[in-house]
């Protein structure tokens, strides 16, 4: 894309993109580390995820400030306007994604040490990986103004939803057969739900990216038959 | 023509231009422009210097007639009547399609006379009482009455720049025009005076067809409902103002309004 006549405007837009890229990278790492901590029962790593979330929150505040400054001083138009508004909305969603990862990490110490007795736990890392990739791709799509990649993220949400439904059934069955594990399984259920929400939020980001890149809004998605109502 | 696809043709336009071409000697300044003007929408013409927006504006009341080398092709109609027809009375046309210029240009006469001059030569007032009514009404519509009602005999040139420009708008209004053309009416004014003119444009919408040429894109965004982007004599894109400024279809429009032009 051609550069602005006013160079400082380009510098501010670049800084905005840089901050969002960093924020996305941190959210993605938070999801990955939270899932790793869960698998390995690594309480230190889990605590680290919780601590690192502060930086994600700080970036959100920084982006908000910068967007207000750009709107006030540069009066952005057309694709520039769509970009900065998308940036503003995306950071609030990524901040939520960070919170979900933090919530997963906080549950790690509450689950009994011997995870080998909890078979359903094996399903969660793959689910978490798909959700993490969606976050990664949605933010890459923003950086590259790539509407096709954004669309691919939106389509992929169904995979996470299917995972969730499968985990839900497995956990319910497992709890019926192993009533002693109900407490741990309830935590796993919340973790699965958190991952499912991360997928939804990544989809929202992708929809904003699509609008920013094309100026067109995506039609409302058709929802699969979920076991759980939307919360 | 690279005009975008959205059909903004108006059923019974006040003014309608079809495939208008303007030449200054051998040089073509306008390359086939079609556009409609109605009373309900303010139309803004934007584009870089030399893009033809002012030239095109001037074809709408035949101001280009005063340029010896200028030649206009295509058709421009006012209420369906070709304004370039030999039978068209140009003086009458310029009363029906009034114009306000970049620099306020009041006559070096009293405020009252600035307004009364047009109605008098067009024979619109039956007597002094009648003229008083026209002057008050015109100054009220121009948003100037309260500021000048006690000094109507002061010279028009003694007013501030913003007041002078509103006086010029009042002068255009006085001859009961149907369309008002404004060629960068605020570029010599401060922000407060500019805001008053913009508010005035809002108030005049519906009563008159209004076309404004502006270099200030924020102004186009604020005052107009339709925006036309000109570049190198072409009408590159013409659309609903909110669309043009959030989602322009043409690359050239986008580069211009986002400050990437040239």
């Amino acid at each position: 894309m051609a550069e602005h006549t006013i160079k400082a405007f380009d510098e501010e837009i670049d800084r905005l993109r840089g901050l969002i890229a960093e924020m996305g990278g941190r959210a993605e790492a938070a999801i990955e580390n939270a899932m790793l901590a869960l698998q390995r029962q690594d309480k230190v790593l889990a605590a680290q995820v919780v601590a690192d979330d502060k930086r994600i929150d700080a970036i959100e505040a920084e982006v908000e400030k910068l967007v207000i400054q750009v709107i006030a001083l540069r009066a952005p138009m057309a694709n520039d306007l769509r970009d900065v508004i998308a940036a503003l909305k995306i950071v609030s969603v990524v901040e939520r994604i960070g919170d979900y990862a933090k919530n997963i990490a906080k549950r790690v110490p509450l689950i009994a040490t011997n995870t080998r007795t909890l078979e359903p736990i094996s399903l969660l890392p793959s689910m978490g990986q798909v959700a993490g990739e969606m976050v990664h791709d949605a933010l890459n799509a923003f950086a590259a103004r790539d509407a096709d990649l954004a669309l691919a993220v939106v389509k992929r949400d169904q995979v996470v939803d299917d995972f969730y439904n499968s985990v839900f059934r497995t956990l319910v069955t497992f709890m019926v057969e192993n009533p002693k594990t109900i407490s741990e399984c309830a935590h796993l259920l919340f973790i699965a739900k958190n991952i499912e929400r991360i997928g939804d939020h990544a989809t929202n980001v992708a929809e904003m990216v699509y609008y920013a890149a094309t100026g067109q809004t995506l039609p409302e998605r058709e929802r699969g038959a979920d076991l759980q109502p939307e919360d | 023509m690279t005009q975008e696809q959205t059909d903004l043709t108006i059923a019974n336009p006040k003014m309608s231009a079809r495939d208008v071409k303007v030449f200054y000697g051998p040089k073509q300044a306008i390359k086939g422009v079609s556009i409609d003007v109605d009373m309900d929408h303010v139309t803004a013409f934007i584009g870089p210097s030399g893009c033809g927006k002012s030239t095109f504006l001037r074809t709408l009341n035949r101001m280009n007639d005063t340029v010896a080398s200028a030649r206009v092709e295509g058709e421009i109609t006012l209420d369906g009547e070709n304004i370039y027809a030999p039978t068209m009375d140009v003086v009458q046309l310029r009363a029906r399609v009034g114009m306000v210029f970049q620099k306020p240009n009041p006559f070096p006469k009293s405020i009252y006379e600035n307004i009364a001059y047009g109605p008098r030569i067009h024979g619109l007032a039956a007597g002094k009482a009648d003229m008083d009514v026209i002057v008050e009404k015109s100054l009220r519509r121009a948003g100037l009455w309260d500021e000048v009602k006690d000094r109507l005999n002061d010279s028009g040139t003694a007013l501030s720049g913003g007041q002078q420009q509103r006086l010029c708008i009042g002068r255009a209004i006085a001859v009961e025009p149907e369309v008002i053309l404004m060629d960068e009416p605020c570029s010599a004014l401060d922000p407060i005076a500019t805001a008053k003119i913009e508010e005035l444009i809002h108030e005049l919408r519906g009563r008159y067809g209004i076309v404004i040429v502006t270099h200030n894109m924020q102004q186009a965004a604020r005052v107009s409902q339709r925006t036309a982007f000109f570049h190198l004599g072409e009408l590159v894109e013409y659309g609903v103002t909110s669309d043009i400024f959030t989602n322009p279809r043409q690359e050239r429009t986008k580069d211009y309004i986002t400050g990437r032009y040239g």
Side-chain angles (χ1 to χ4, degrees):
Chain A
M1 188 164 308
E3 287 178 351
H4 288 98
T5 307
I6 298 172
K7 300 274 186 299
F9 191 177
D10 280 327
E11 286 161 21
E12 283 163 7
I13 296 271
D14 286 348
R15 195 168 143 236
L16 202 52
R17 292 185 169 278
L19 283 169
I20 288 176
E22 185 193 341
M23 192 180 186
R26 285 179 178 276
E28 199 188 325
I31 298 166
E32 210 179 301
N33 289 335
M35 296 314 292
L36 211 57
L38 176 69
Q39 266 175 289
R40 296 184 185 160
Q41 282 298 299
D42 185 340
K43 288 175 191 171
V44 178
L45 184 58
Q48 190 61 47
V49 171
V50 174
D52 286 350
D53 189 55
K54 286 194 180 69
R55 176 61 192 153
I56 293 180
D57 293 354
I59 296 176
E60 185 196 16
E62 207 174 332
V63 167
E64 277 178 3
K65 208 172 128 193
L66 187 55
V67 165
I68 287 168
Q69 187 190 318
V70 167
I71 290 173
L73 304 186
R74 308 289 175 206
M77 291 284 193
N79 55 309
D80 292 334
L81 178 62
R82 300 199 307 264
D83 262 6
V84 294
I85 295 296
L88 187 64
K89 293 174 77 177
I90 285 170
V91 291
S92 77
V93 174
V94 176
E95 189 273 331
R96 290 292 297 150
I97 290 174
D99 284 350
Y100 283 122
K102 182 170 76 174
N103 187 276
I104 292 170
K106 278 180 171 174
R107 290 177 195 277
V108 168
L110 306 174
I111 295 167
T113 337
N114 189 2
T115 50
R116 261 177 297 177
T117 58
L118 290 174
E119 289 166 28
I121 211 167
S122 60
L123 279 170
L124 290 171
S126 324
M127 184 181 178
Q129 196 187 339
V130 176
E133 283 167 7
M134 284 173 71
V135 173
H136 176 88
D137 287 354
L139 288 153
N140 268 2
F142 180 70
R145 300 182 172 89
D146 187 339
D148 292 333
L149 184 56
L151 266 181
V153 171
V154 171
K155 291 207 177 95
R156 217 168 164 197
D157 189 40
Q158 192 57 51
V159 176
V160 177
D161 289 349
D162 291 344
F163 255 119
Y164 176 69
N165 291 340
S166 162
V167 169
F168 182 87
R169 280 194 214 95
T170 309
L171 278 170
V172 169
T173 311
F174 192 81
M175 283 189 273
V176 170
E177 287 163 4
N178 307 279
K180 281 182 189 163
T181 65
I182 280 179
S183 168
E184 285 85 352
C185 284
H187 282 300
L188 292 183
L189 207 47
F190 276 115
I191 288 170
K193 188 65 192 171
N194 284 342
I195 300 170
E196 191 268 337
R197 293 301 294 151
I198 288 171
D200 285 347
H201 281 306
T203 306
N204 289 341
V205 170
E207 285 168 347
M208 292 168 205
V209 171
Y210 187 87
Y211 174 72
T214 66
Q216 311 294 319
T217 46
L218 279 174
E220 191 60 26
R221 279 171 295 154
E222 284 191 20
R223 293 271 174 198
D226 286 347
L227 282 171
Q228 294 283 292
E230 282 298 304
D231 56 6
Chain B
M1 181 126 135
T2 50
Q3 195 174 336
E4 69 139 333
Q5 56 277 28
T6 313
D7 187 14
L8 295 174
T9 313
I10 296 154
N12 286 305
K14 191 71 203 164
M15 292 198 84
S16 180
R18 287 293 171 270
D19 199 22
V20 170
K21 299 179 175 114
V22 180
F23 300 85
Y24 290 124
K27 187 182 177 294
Q28 186 169 1
I30 298 291
K31 297 170 181 168
V33 169
S34 300
I35 209 164
D36 287 339
V37 173
D38 72 353
M39 312 289 245
D40 297 328
H41 304 95
V42 174
T43 305
F45 291 174
I46 60 170
S49 293
C51 69
K53 58 191 188 301
S54 287
T55 293
F56 181 71
L57 186 79
R58 282 151 193 268
T59 64
L60 298 177
N61 72 347
R62 292 183 57 174
M63 290 294 282
N64 287 324
D65 286 13
T66 59
V67 181
S69 64
R71 181 163 54 86
V72 177
E73 286 180 11
E75 190 185 57
I76 299 175
T77 59
L78 175 62
D79 283 335
E81 195 186 347
N82 187 351
I83 65 168
Y84 283 87
T87 50
M88 177 59 67
D89 177 346
V90 178
V91 173
Q92 195 57 39
L93 170 69
R94 290 183 191 146
R96 291 173 70 191
V97 183
M99 197 152 194
V100 175
F101 298 87
Q102 181 173 358
K103 266 190 78 176
N105 54 352
F107 304 132
K109 290 171 178 292
S110 70
I111 293 166
Y112 186 97
E113 274 306 310
N114 262 280
I115 303 293
Y117 183 79
R120 187 175 298 127
I121 62 165
H122 286 285
L124 297 177
K128 171 81 171 100
D130 219 11
M131 187 61 86
D132 288 350
V133 171
I134 291 175
V135 169
E136 178 173 344
K137 191 178 81 178
S138 303
L139 286 171
R140 278 192 188 281
R141 283 201 186 150
L144 194 58
W145 177 250
D146 289 337
E147 291 162 58
V148 301
K149 64 184 176 198
D150 298 323
R151 48 173 174 145
L152 292 174
N153 293 319
D154 287 6
S155 174
T157 54
L159 295 171
S160 73
Q163 287 172 326
Q164 286 186 23
Q165 195 61 304
R166 279 180 282 147
L167 181 64
C168 293
I169 293 172
R171 186 175 67 189
I173 287 171
V175 292
E176 293 173 11
E178 293 153 62
V179 176
I180 303 174
L181 309 176
M182 300 186 180
D183 195 352
E184 297 184 42
C186 301
S187 54
L189 305 183
D190 75 14
I192 307 280
T194 297
K196 284 182 181 161
I197 300 280
E198 290 179 1
E199 173 58 19
L200 181 58
I201 291 169
H202 273 292
E203 284 166 16
L204 297 176
R205 175 159 82 98
R207 198 184 291 274
Y208 311 98
I210 297 174
V211 183
I212 178 171
V213 164
T214 176
H215 269 137
N216 180 334
M217 281 179 285
Q218 294 293 336
Q219 178 169 64
R222 285 191 299 261
V223 303
S224 76
Q225 290 74 46
R226 300 276 186 268
T227 295
F229 170 61
F230 288 80
H231 186 226
L232 303 174
E234 285 174 58
L235 176 58
V236 175
E237 185 164 355
Y238 173 52
V240 173
T241 297
S242 55
D243 290 344
I244 294 280
F245 286 101
T246 58
N247 192 16
R249 310 274 161 192
Q250 303 294 332
E251 200 67 15
R252 277 193 284 173
T253 316
K254 190 195 79 182
D255 284 351
Y256 182 66
I257 66 170
T258 58
R260 291 183 169 89
Y261 174 80

